[in-house]
Amino acid sequence: MKTATLNSPDWVNPKKLAPQGACLTMRLPTEELEGIVPFLRPGKDGGFNARLEFSVDQQGFCVIFAQINGSCLLQCQRCLSDFMQNVDKKTMISPVNDDEAAKLLPENYESVLLKEGQISLKALLKEEILLSIPQIPKHPSCQ
């Protein structure tokens, strides 16, 4: 398995990386989530690391096993104090050309639409982080 670290992730062709068994690691600073994650507090605290393992499964689907962990500073919507929200997510993602292809995927796979045969790793990571953060963040003691 080849492993590479991306300092500024961009577009990749997952269908070329999958047969190679490529593995990419990347970091997304919290600042890059401003304007995307509601109630995100400005600052340099936190950030996210991702490991993306590309493969072809037994059914022939291109698969990305994504492991994302990190934290960001959010504002509690009950007491309005700041707190660190941790994210630890593992998911299986399969790139597809259209919605019809997405319907054919195994139930435990998420889909991501290809754009001219490629995906933006940064956009993919941002979306997965957004899905992992509560829509209305609260301290554990405020729930």
Side-chain angles (χ1 to χ4, degrees), residues 22-61:
C23 179
L24 303 176
T25 59
M26 54 190 277
R27 175 134 179 95
L28 186 68
T30 305
E31 300 86 45
E32 293 196 33
L33 296 172
E34 289 180 27
I36 298 171
V37 175
F39 313 113
L40 180 70
R41 302 303 290 168
K44 297 189 186 282
D45 291 340
F48 296 90
N49 295 307
R51 179 180 174 89
L52 305 166
E53 298 175 11
F54 295 78
S55 64
V56 178
D57 74 3
Q58 293 178 346
Q59 296 173 298
F61 291 111

Short mmCIF file of all heavy atoms in Angstrom, two decimals, residues 22-61:
data_model
loop_
_atom_site.label_atom_id
_atom_site.label_comp_id
_atom_site.label_asym_id
_atom_site.label_seq_id
_atom_site.Cartn_x
_atom_site.Cartn_y
_atom_site.Cartn_z
N ALA A 22 -3.87 2.89 -2.93
CA ALA A 22 -3.25 4.12 -2.42
C ALA A 22 -3.85 4.51 -1.07
O ALA A 22 -5.02 4.25 -0.79
CB ALA A 22 -3.43 5.26 -3.42
N CYS A 23 -3.03 5.14 -0.26
CA CYS A 23 -3.46 5.65 1.03
C CYS A 23 -2.95 7.09 1.15
O CYS A 23 -1.75 7.33 1.01
CB CYS A 23 -2.89 4.79 2.15
SG CYS A 23 -3.36 5.36 3.78
N LEU A 24 -3.86 8.02 1.38
CA LEU A 24 -3.49 9.43 1.49
C LEU A 24 -3.84 9.94 2.89
O LEU A 24 -4.87 9.58 3.45
CB LEU A 24 -4.26 10.27 0.46
CG LEU A 24 -4.10 9.88 -1.00
CD1 LEU A 24 -4.98 10.75 -1.88
CD2 LEU A 24 -2.65 9.98 -1.43
N THR A 25 -2.96 10.75 3.45
CA THR A 25 -3.26 11.41 4.71
C THR A 25 -3.28 12.90 4.46
O THR A 25 -2.55 13.41 3.61
CB THR A 25 -2.22 11.07 5.80
OG1 THR A 25 -0.93 11.47 5.36
CG2 THR A 25 -2.23 9.59 6.11
N MET A 26 -4.12 13.59 5.20
CA MET A 26 -4.21 15.04 5.03
C MET A 26 -4.68 15.68 6.33
O MET A 26 -5.23 15.01 7.20
CB MET A 26 -5.14 15.39 3.88
CG MET A 26 -6.52 14.79 3.95
SD MET A 26 -7.49 15.01 2.45
CE MET A 26 -8.12 16.64 2.71
N ARG A 27 -4.45 16.97 6.43
CA ARG A 27 -4.86 17.76 7.59
C ARG A 27 -5.70 18.93 7.10
O ARG A 27 -5.38 19.55 6.10
CB ARG A 27 -3.64 18.27 8.33
CG ARG A 27 -3.99 19.22 9.48
CD ARG A 27 -3.23 18.89 10.74
NE ARG A 27 -3.55 19.81 11.81
CZ ARG A 27 -4.46 19.59 12.74
NH1 ARG A 27 -5.15 18.47 12.72
NH2 ARG A 27 -4.70 20.46 13.69
N LEU A 28 -6.78 19.19 7.82
CA LEU A 28 -7.64 20.32 7.50
C LEU A 28 -7.71 21.23 8.72
O LEU A 28 -8.28 20.85 9.74
CB LEU A 28 -9.05 19.85 7.12
CG LEU A 28 -9.99 20.94 6.61
CD1 LEU A 28 -9.52 21.47 5.26
CD2 LEU A 28 -11.40 20.41 6.51
N PRO A 29 -7.10 22.42 8.64
CA PRO A 29 -7.17 23.36 9.77
C PRO A 29 -8.60 23.84 9.98
O PRO A 29 -9.39 23.94 9.03
CB PRO A 29 -6.26 24.52 9.35
CG PRO A 29 -5.53 24.07 8.14
CD PRO A 29 -6.30 22.95 7.54
N THR A 30 -8.92 24.17 11.20
CA THR A 30 -10.27 24.64 11.55
C THR A 30 -10.65 25.87 10.74
O THR A 30 -11.81 26.04 10.37
CB THR A 30 -10.35 24.94 13.05
OG1 THR A 30 -9.95 23.77 13.77
CG2 THR A 30 -11.75 25.30 13.47
N GLU A 31 -9.68 26.75 10.45
CA GLU A 31 -9.99 27.98 9.72
C GLU A 31 -10.67 27.70 8.38
O GLU A 31 -11.44 28.51 7.89
CB GLU A 31 -8.72 28.81 9.44
CG GLU A 31 -7.96 29.25 10.66
CD GLU A 31 -6.96 28.20 11.15
OE1 GLU A 31 -6.22 27.61 10.35
OE2 GLU A 31 -6.95 27.95 12.37
N GLU A 32 -10.39 26.55 7.78
CA GLU A 32 -10.98 26.23 6.49
C GLU A 32 -12.45 25.84 6.59
O GLU A 32 -13.12 25.67 5.58
CB GLU A 32 -10.17 25.14 5.80
CG GLU A 32 -8.79 25.62 5.42
CD GLU A 32 -8.10 24.73 4.42
OE1 GLU A 32 -8.79 24.14 3.57
OE2 GLU A 32 -6.87 24.66 4.49
N LEU A 33 -12.96 25.71 7.82
CA LEU A 33 -14.37 25.37 8.01
C LEU A 33 -15.22 26.60 8.30
O LEU A 33 -16.44 26.50 8.37
CB LEU A 33 -14.51 24.38 9.17
CG LEU A 33 -13.85 23.03 8.97
CD1 LEU A 33 -13.91 22.22 10.26
CD2 LEU A 33 -14.48 22.27 7.83
N GLU A 34 -14.58 27.76 8.46
CA GLU A 34 -15.34 28.98 8.75
C GLU A 34 -16.30 29.26 7.60
O GLU A 34 -15.94 29.15 6.43
CB GLU A 34 -14.39 30.15 8.98
CG GLU A 34 -13.63 30.03 10.29
CD GLU A 34 -12.67 31.19 10.54
OE1 GLU A 34 -12.90 32.30 10.03
OE2 GLU A 34 -11.69 30.95 11.26
N GLY A 35 -17.52 29.61 7.96
CA GLY A 35 -18.55 29.86 6.95
C GLY A 35 -19.27 28.61 6.51
O GLY A 35 -20.27 28.68 5.82
N ILE A 36 -18.77 27.45 6.91
CA ILE A 36 -19.39 26.18 6.53
C ILE A 36 -20.06 25.54 7.74
O ILE A 36 -21.18 25.06 7.66
CB ILE A 36 -18.35 25.21 5.93
CG1 ILE A 36 -17.76 25.81 4.66
CG2 ILE A 36 -18.96 23.84 5.65
CD1 ILE A 36 -16.59 25.04 4.12
N VAL A 37 -19.35 25.53 8.86
CA VAL A 37 -19.86 24.91 10.08
C VAL A 37 -20.55 25.97 10.93
O VAL A 37 -19.91 26.93 11.36
CB VAL A 37 -18.72 24.24 10.88
CG1 VAL A 37 -19.23 23.69 12.21
CG2 VAL A 37 -18.07 23.12 10.06
N PRO A 38 -21.86 25.82 11.17
CA PRO A 38 -22.57 26.81 12.00
C PRO A 38 -22.02 26.81 13.42
O PRO A 38 -21.63 25.78 13.94
CB PRO A 38 -24.02 26.31 11.99
CG PRO A 38 -24.11 25.30 10.92
CD PRO A 38 -22.73 24.77 10.68
N PHE A 39 -21.97 27.97 14.02
CA PHE A 39 -21.57 28.17 15.41
C PHE A 39 -20.09 27.87 15.66
O PHE A 39 -19.67 27.70 16.79
CB PHE A 39 -22.45 27.35 16.38
CG PHE A 39 -23.91 27.50 16.10
CD1 PHE A 39 -24.67 26.44 15.63
CD2 PHE A 39 -24.54 28.73 16.28
CE1 PHE A 39 -26.03 26.59 15.35
CE2 PHE A 39 -25.90 28.88 16.00
CZ PHE A 39 -26.64 27.81 15.54
N LEU A 40 -19.30 27.79 14.59
CA LEU A 40 -17.85 27.60 14.74
C LEU A 40 -17.26 28.88 15.30
O LEU A 40 -17.55 29.98 14.82
CB LEU A 40 -17.21 27.27 13.39
CG LEU A 40 -15.71 27.04 13.39
CD1 LEU A 40 -15.39 25.72 14.09
CD2 LEU A 40 -15.18 27.00 11.97
N ARG A 41 -16.42 28.76 16.30
CA ARG A 41 -15.78 29.90 16.91
C ARG A 41 -14.43 30.14 16.22
O ARG A 41 -13.70 29.19 15.96
CB ARG A 41 -15.57 29.67 18.41
CG ARG A 41 -16.84 29.37 19.17
CD ARG A 41 -17.87 30.44 19.03
NE ARG A 41 -17.41 31.63 19.75
CZ ARG A 41 -17.95 32.82 19.67
NH1 ARG A 41 -18.96 33.02 18.86
NH2 ARG A 41 -17.49 33.81 20.37
N PRO A 42 -14.13 31.39 15.93
CA PRO A 42 -12.85 31.68 15.28
C PRO A 42 -11.68 31.36 16.20
O PRO A 42 -11.81 31.39 17.42
CB PRO A 42 -12.92 33.17 14.98
CG PRO A 42 -14.00 33.72 15.84
CD PRO A 42 -14.91 32.59 16.18
N GLY A 43 -10.58 31.04 15.61
CA GLY A 43 -9.38 30.72 16.38
C GLY A 43 -8.62 29.60 15.73
O GLY A 43 -9.08 28.97 14.79
N LYS A 44 -7.47 29.35 16.25
CA LYS A 44 -6.61 28.33 15.68
C LYS A 44 -6.66 27.02 16.45
O LYS A 44 -5.90 26.11 16.18
CB LYS A 44 -5.18 28.86 15.60
CG LYS A 44 -5.06 30.06 14.68
CD LYS A 44 -3.61 30.43 14.45
CE LYS A 44 -3.51 31.69 13.65
NZ LYS A 44 -3.72 31.56 12.26
N ASP A 45 -7.57 26.94 17.44
CA ASP A 45 -7.71 25.70 18.19
C ASP A 45 -8.34 24.63 17.31
O ASP A 45 -9.21 24.90 16.51
CB ASP A 45 -8.61 25.90 19.42
CG ASP A 45 -7.97 26.79 20.47
OD1 ASP A 45 -6.73 26.92 20.44
OD2 ASP A 45 -8.70 27.35 21.30
N GLY A 46 -7.88 23.42 17.48
CA GLY A 46 -8.47 22.29 16.78
C GLY A 46 -7.92 22.09 15.38
O GLY A 46 -6.91 22.67 14.98
N GLY A 47 -8.59 21.25 14.65
CA GLY A 47 -8.20 20.86 13.31
C GLY A 47 -8.51 19.38 13.13
O GLY A 47 -8.86 18.68 14.09
N PHE A 48 -8.42 18.91 11.91
CA PHE A 48 -8.81 17.54 11.61
C PHE A 48 -7.75 16.82 10.78
O PHE A 48 -7.14 17.41 9.90
CB PHE A 48 -10.15 17.54 10.86
CG PHE A 48 -11.26 18.10 11.69
CD1 PHE A 48 -11.55 19.45 11.66
CD2 PHE A 48 -12.00 17.28 12.51
CE1 PHE A 48 -12.56 19.98 12.44
CE2 PHE A 48 -13.01 17.79 13.30
CZ PHE A 48 -13.28 19.15 13.27
N ASN A 49 -7.56 15.55 11.10
CA ASN A 49 -6.68 14.68 10.34
C ASN A 49 -7.52 13.63 9.65
O ASN A 49 -8.53 13.17 10.21
CB ASN A 49 -5.67 14.00 11.27
CG ASN A 49 -4.74 14.99 11.91
OD1 ASN A 49 -4.11 15.79 11.22
ND2 ASN A 49 -4.66 14.97 13.22
N ALA A 50 -7.11 13.25 8.46
CA ALA A 50 -7.85 12.22 7.73
C ALA A 50 -6.87 11.23 7.11
O ALA A 50 -5.78 11.59 6.70
CB ALA A 50 -8.70 12.86 6.64
N ARG A 51 -7.31 10.01 7.07
CA ARG A 51 -6.60 8.94 6.37
C ARG A 51 -7.60 8.35 5.39
O ARG A 51 -8.69 7.93 5.78
CB ARG A 51 -6.11 7.89 7.35
CG ARG A 51 -5.38 6.74 6.72
CD ARG A 51 -4.92 5.74 7.79
NE ARG A 51 -4.35 4.56 7.20
CZ ARG A 51 -3.08 4.41 6.88
NH1 ARG A 51 -2.23 5.38 7.13
NH2 ARG A 51 -2.64 3.29 6.33
N LEU A 52 -7.24 8.35 4.12
CA LEU A 52 -8.12 7.87 3.06
C LEU A 52 -7.46 6.69 2.37
O LEU A 52 -6.41 6.85 1.73
CB LEU A 52 -8.41 8.99 2.07
CG LEU A 52 -8.97 10.28 2.68
CD1 LEU A 52 -8.91 11.42 1.69
CD2 LEU A 52 -10.39 10.07 3.16
N GLU A 53 -8.06 5.52 2.50
CA GLU A 53 -7.53 4.30 1.89
C GLU A 53 -8.41 3.93 0.69
O GLU A 53 -9.60 3.71 0.84
CB GLU A 53 -7.52 3.17 2.91
CG GLU A 53 -6.63 3.44 4.10
CD GLU A 53 -6.72 2.38 5.18
OE1 GLU A 53 -7.32 1.30 4.93
OE2 GLU A 53 -6.20 2.63 6.28
N PHE A 54 -7.79 3.88 -0.47
CA PHE A 54 -8.50 3.59 -1.72
C PHE A 54 -8.35 2.11 -2.05
O PHE A 54 -7.25 1.56 -1.94
CB PHE A 54 -7.93 4.43 -2.85
CG PHE A 54 -8.14 5.91 -2.69
CD1 PHE A 54 -7.35 6.65 -1.82
CD2 PHE A 54 -9.14 6.57 -3.38
CE1 PHE A 54 -7.54 8.02 -1.66
CE2 PHE A 54 -9.35 7.94 -3.23
CZ PHE A 54 -8.54 8.66 -2.36
N SER A 55 -9.45 1.49 -2.48
CA SER A 55 -9.39 0.08 -2.86
C SER A 55 -10.56 -0.24 -3.78
O SER A 55 -11.43 0.59 -4.03
CB SER A 55 -9.44 -0.82 -1.62
OG SER A 55 -10.67 -0.66 -0.94
N VAL A 56 -10.54 -1.48 -4.27
CA VAL A 56 -11.66 -2.02 -5.05
C VAL A 56 -12.20 -3.18 -4.25
O VAL A 56 -11.45 -4.09 -3.88
CB VAL A 56 -11.19 -2.48 -6.46
CG1 VAL A 56 -12.35 -3.08 -7.23
CG2 VAL A 56 -10.56 -1.32 -7.22
N ASP A 57 -13.51 -3.16 -3.95
CA ASP A 57 -14.08 -4.22 -3.12
C ASP A 57 -14.35 -5.48 -3.95
O ASP A 57 -14.10 -5.51 -5.16
CB ASP A 57 -15.32 -3.73 -2.37
CG ASP A 57 -16.55 -3.56 -3.25
OD1 ASP A 57 -16.48 -3.88 -4.46
OD2 ASP A 57 -17.58 -3.10 -2.73
N GLN A 58 -14.88 -6.51 -3.30
CA GLN A 58 -15.11 -7.80 -3.96
C GLN A 58 -16.17 -7.72 -5.06
O GLN A 58 -16.18 -8.54 -5.97
CB GLN A 58 -15.52 -8.86 -2.93
CG GLN A 58 -14.41 -9.20 -1.97
CD GLN A 58 -14.85 -10.21 -0.93
OE1 GLN A 58 -16.04 -10.47 -0.76
NE2 GLN A 58 -13.89 -10.76 -0.21
N GLN A 59 -17.03 -6.70 -4.99
CA GLN A 59 -18.06 -6.54 -6.02
C GLN A 59 -17.59 -5.65 -7.16
O GLN A 59 -18.33 -5.39 -8.09
CB GLN A 59 -19.33 -5.94 -5.39
CG GLN A 59 -19.97 -6.86 -4.36
CD GLN A 59 -21.10 -6.17 -3.64
OE1 GLN A 59 -20.90 -5.16 -2.97
NE2 GLN A 59 -22.30 -6.71 -3.79
N GLY A 60 -16.36 -5.14 -7.06
CA GLY A 60 -15.80 -4.30 -8.11
C GLY A 60 -16.04 -2.81 -7.93
O GLY A 60 -15.69 -2.02 -8.80
N PHE A 61 -16.61 -2.41 -6.78
CA PHE A 61 -16.83 -0.98 -6.52
C PHE A 61 -15.54 -0.32 -6.05
O PHE A 61 -14.80 -0.90 -5.25
CB PHE A 61 -17.90 -0.77 -5.44
CG PHE A 61 -19.29 -1.14 -5.86
CD1 PHE A 61 -19.92 -2.24 -5.30
CD2 PHE A 61 -19.98 -0.39 -6.80
CE1 PHE A 61 -21.21 -2.58 -5.67
CE2 PHE A 61 -21.27 -0.72 -7.19
CZ PHE A 61 -21.88 -1.83 -6.62
#
